Amino acid sequence: MTKLTSTDIAEKIIIMIARNLNARISKGYETYGQTLDDCPDDAYDWNQMLIEELLDGLQYMAKENAILRKKLSAEIRKNLKLKRLLGRGMKE
C-alpha cells in the first residue's frame, strides 16, 4: 500500500476531527454515564439511531443553506443598490 504524503490541510482536518470526536465522546459520557464500549450491544437499535442522526444532520444542513441564501440575497440587493447609486452619480 502506498502511503500518502501529509499536507497542511490534511493535518488541520485530522486535528479538527480528533477535537470534535473527543468532544462528542466527552459529551456522550456526561449524558449517559458510560462510553460506547460500555453500552450493551442490544441497548439500542443502532441502525435506527444512525438514521435519526443523519436525518438531523440533513435538517441542520438545510437550515444553514437557507441562512446562507438569505445572506447572499441581501448582499446581492445591496450590490445592486450601490450600482444604481453609482450609475446615477456618473450621469450627473
Side-chain angles (χ1 to χ4, degrees):
M1 179 187 291
T2 304
K3 184 176 188 227
L4 298 176
T5 303
S6 181
T7 65
D8 287 341
I9 292 172
E11 291 292 328
K12 289 176 184 175
I13 291 169
I14 291 167
I15 291 167
M16 184 262 316
I17 290 170
R19 284 183 183 152
N20 281 293
L21 185 56
N22 283 326
R24 294 297 296 162
I25 290 168
S26 294
K27 184 175 181 180
Y29 189 81
E30 289 171 17
T31 302
Y32 299 104
Q34 62 185 3
T35 66
L36 197 55
D37 290 336
D38 297 332
C39 188
D41 292 345
D42 60 353
Y44 299 97
D45 179 341
W46 299 103
N47 285 320
Q48 182 61 36
M49 288 185 67
L50 175 59
I51 289 168
E52 292 170 7
E53 294 293 338
L54 291 172
L55 290 171
D56 287 346
L58 288 171
Q59 291 182 82
Y60 305 150
M61 285 176 57
K63 177 65 176 181
E64 183 65 20
N65 191 282
I67 291 167
L68 292 172
R69 285 178 189 258
K70 284 180 194 175
K71 288 179 180 179
L72 179 59
S73 292
E75 290 300 318
I76 289 170
R77 284 191 301 275
K78 281 194 243 177
N79 192 358
L80 289 173
K81 185 177 180 179
L82 287 172
K83 282 183 179 181
R84 277 188 244 123
L85 288 172
L86 285 171
R88 287 181 196 157
M90 293 181 139
K91 289 179 184 176
E92 293 175 3

